[in-house]
Amino acid sequence: MATGAATQALLTKQNVKLVAMADAFRDRLDDCYKYLMSDDNDSGVVKDRVSVPESNKFVGFDGYKKAIALADVVILTTPPGFRPIHFEEAVNQGKQIFMEKPVATDPAGIKRVLDAAVIAKQKKLNVVVGLQRHYQNSYRELYKKYKEGMIGDIVSAQAWWNNEGVWVNPRKYNQTEMEYQMRNWYYFNWLCGDHITEQHIHNIDVINWFKGSYPVKAQGMGGREVRKGKEYGEIFDHHYVEFQYADGSILNSQCRHIKGTYSKVDELMMGTKGTIYCGNMNILDRKGAVLYQYDRSKENNPYQTEHDELFAAIAKGEYKFADTENGAKSTMTSILGRMATYSGQVVEWDKAINSNISIMPTKFDFDAMPPVLPDANGFYPVAVPGVTKFV
């Protein structure tokens, strides 16, 4: 369960009630419910809008189907490996949808999401994807200035998500391998997609958004330089990718999870007439003079805004949001980057997205085997550039 998204939905001005919940784990569901019913909820008190009887709390791999059936709007916030099947079910049931990024972890999942997006449009179902910079005032204003021609054509871009990393959930006694991986999901590609997909998608997506297109190929490098313990599963601790667009422009992308290193989460776009500095909320000309500075006092909380705008449209009976295609293609951009860093090869968009590669389990059950398993010492296989194929 994702307490943040649920809280934000309940904090909108519309007549919203939470009527059903689902999670693979009962303790996770209970923790979320307890948080939502708390008087000291960090984001705001929402307990008066929570109406979830015990009969509407569903646990297990199939619980999502029952919860979706009881709602008008669904919030999909499980680990991203499950997003394609959950999104597909919500669309088939005709629900309005908020889903977190990324929307898949492999090309087969991307295809599944894109196919469901076609049906969602036919049914006029609003879909908002949690790439919240699209709902952030400063980014919207910078985009407007770009479209007005302030920096000319984008010829080069940079994107960063460099920090110390995130949580680790240690293995506990008597856990099955499936349960362990799902509880420590950030470190397994079928669940997370590696941090280039789970986190860095935000920065990559900003460049795609402003460019109005997606890369045609990628090449890069990455590995596990510091974060090598078995608790970190199979993902890399750093990626550097050179994405190339059809017009020849380049996005230099870097993300890193290494403690004690320089942190930077930002985007920069260089044009023929000026440069956009997203973190500084400004635009400079080629000589460094300020062409535009956004008023920071007007900045909003984009996480809240994306829910405010979605639920306002639903309340008015409007069909306004169709974020799925961009969400899927920006997710695919990050997967393209992962394929490039894992393999050490140039990977073309068309070949990658049409590869139908799936890294998901063949069966969802706590006693089933996940697609990647540890060796006798508890370590998981890790990609080796130059040896590993597209995975």
Side-chain angles (χ1 to χ4, degrees):
M1 297 299 299
T3 55
T7 300
Q8 288 143 10
L10 295 173
L11 284 172
T12 66
K13 295 179 181 179
Q14 311 309 318
N15 184 23
V16 179
K17 279 192 176 292
L18 180 65
V19 297
M21 302 169 69
D23 198 286
F25 301 109
R26 180 68 202 220
D27 63 301
R28 294 285 296 159
L29 189 154
D30 289 342
D31 287 346
C32 179
Y33 182 78
K34 181 180 179 180
Y35 179 85
L36 295 174
M37 295 299 291
S38 172
D39 287 321
D40 58 356
N41 186 317
D42 294 338
S43 302
V45 177
V46 295
K47 63 181 181 180
D48 291 343
R49 289 187 161 198
V50 178
S51 181
V52 186
E54 191 64 27
S55 60
N56 288 5
K57 297 176 182 178
F58 303 103
V59 178
F61 286 101
D62 293 330
Y64 70 98
K65 296 179 181 179
K66 299 172 184 177
I68 289 172
L70 296 173
D72 299 312
V73 186
V74 299
I75 298 176
L76 306 178
T77 53
T78 60
F82 291 101
R83 199 86 71 242
I85 59 176
H86 292 175
F87 177 65
E88 186 178 72
E89 180 68 21
V91 170
N92 289 341
Q93 290 197 33
K95 308 299 182 177
Q96 314 284 338
I97 299 163
F98 172 86
M99 63 174 167
E100 267 297 355
K101 55 75 220 167
V103 302
T105 58
D106 58 28
I110 295 294
K111 284 285 194 178
R112 195 166 181 174
V113 169
L114 288 171
D115 288 345
V118 174
I119 300 171
K121 284 186 176 181
Q122 292 171 350
K123 292 183 175 182
K124 295 185 176 180
L125 304 175
N126 285 289
V127 182
V128 166
V129 175
L131 292 165
Q132 77 282 348
R133 285 165 171 81
H134 290 261
Y135 296 86
Q136 187 166 341
N137 290 345
S138 60
Y139 280 84
R140 284 175 164 179
E141 289 302 311
L142 290 170
Y143 180 75
K144 181 180 178 181
K145 296 298 181 183
Y146 164 65
K147 295 299 285 185
E148 291 172 353
M150 186 170 283
I151 71 162
D153 297 326
I154 295 173
V155 294
S156 176
Q158 293 175 263
W160 303 265
W161 193 302
N162 293 334
N163 63 11
E164 295 193 344
V166 297
W167 47 264
V168 174
N169 286 325
R171 188 186 294 271
K172 294 183 178 180
Y173 175 72
N174 220 25
Q175 281 182 328
T176 67
E177 184 62 28
M178 181 68 81
E179 179 179 356
Y180 168 66
Q181 291 193 19
M182 287 179 62
R183 288 190 181 272
N184 200 34
W185 62 267
Y186 206 97
Y187 302 97
F188 297 95
N189 283 323
W190 71 273
L191 287 159
C192 165
D194 205 315
H195 63 104
I196 190 174
T197 293
E198 209 287 326
Q199 277 186 329
H200 193 37
I201 181 178
H202 283 295
N203 318 104
I204 292 169
D205 171 68
V206 168
I207 311 304
N208 288 344
W209 172 23
F210 279 64
K211 287 287 296 179
S213 61
Y214 307 91
V216 295
K217 60 182 177 181
Q219 70 85 25
M221 62 186 76
R224 286 164 71 103
E225 182 65 25
V226 174
R227 197 172 57 179
K228 298 180 179 181
K230 62 185 72 174
E231 68 272 26
Y232 300 115
E234 60 179 325
I235 72 172
F236 281 5
D237 60 15
H238 67 283
H239 300 260
Y240 179 90
V241 183
E242 179 185 270
F243 293 101
Q244 183 172 326
Y245 293 83
D247 63 3
S249 59
I250 297 294
L251 161 60
N252 289 297
S253 150
Q254 53 181 284
C255 57
R256 179 180 61 226
H257 275 186
I258 299 177
K259 289 184 177 181
T261 58
Y262 167 64
S263 293
K264 186 178 181 69
V265 180
D266 203 354
E267 308 88 22
L268 175 154
M269 286 160 279
M270 183 175 293
T272 52
K273 297 192 297 184
T275 302
I276 297 173
Y277 295 86
C278 294
N280 291 335
M281 305 181 189
N282 64 15
I283 299 174
L284 307 186
D285 68 14
R286 304 303 304 135
K287 294 182 178 180
V290 177
L291 295 174
Y292 170 76
Q293 177 65 59
Y294 179 74
D295 182 353
R296 292 177 180 270
S297 69
K298 296 181 180 179
E299 190 64 294
N300 64 324
N301 176 352
Y303 300 96
Q304 186 60 52
T305 299
E306 57 192 359
H307 289 275
D308 290 343
E309 295 188 2
L310 170 62
F311 281 90
I314 294 169
K316 294 176 183 176
E318 295 178 346
Y319 173 53
K320 188 176 180 180
F321 298 102
D323 289 357
T324 313
E325 183 176 351
N326 175 69
K329 289 184 176 180
S330 279
T331 299
M332 185 62 218
T333 305
S334 71
I335 294 171
L336 186 75
R338 186 186 76 218
M339 289 178 157
T341 59
Y342 278 20
S343 67
Q345 305 298 325
V346 176
V347 184
E348 297 178 353
W349 175 280
D350 287 343
K351 184 175 181 180
I353 198 170
N354 292 314
S355 66
N356 205 36
I357 290 172
S358 173
I359 59 174
M360 297 298 290
T362 57
K363 181 182 180 182
F364 293 110
D365 187 280
F366 284 117
D367 291 323
M369 287 295 104
V372 60
L373 299 172
D375 64 17
N377 296 314
F379 288 91
Y380 294 85
V382 176
V384 179
V387 176
T388 299
K389 303 302 181 183
F390 297 162
V391 293

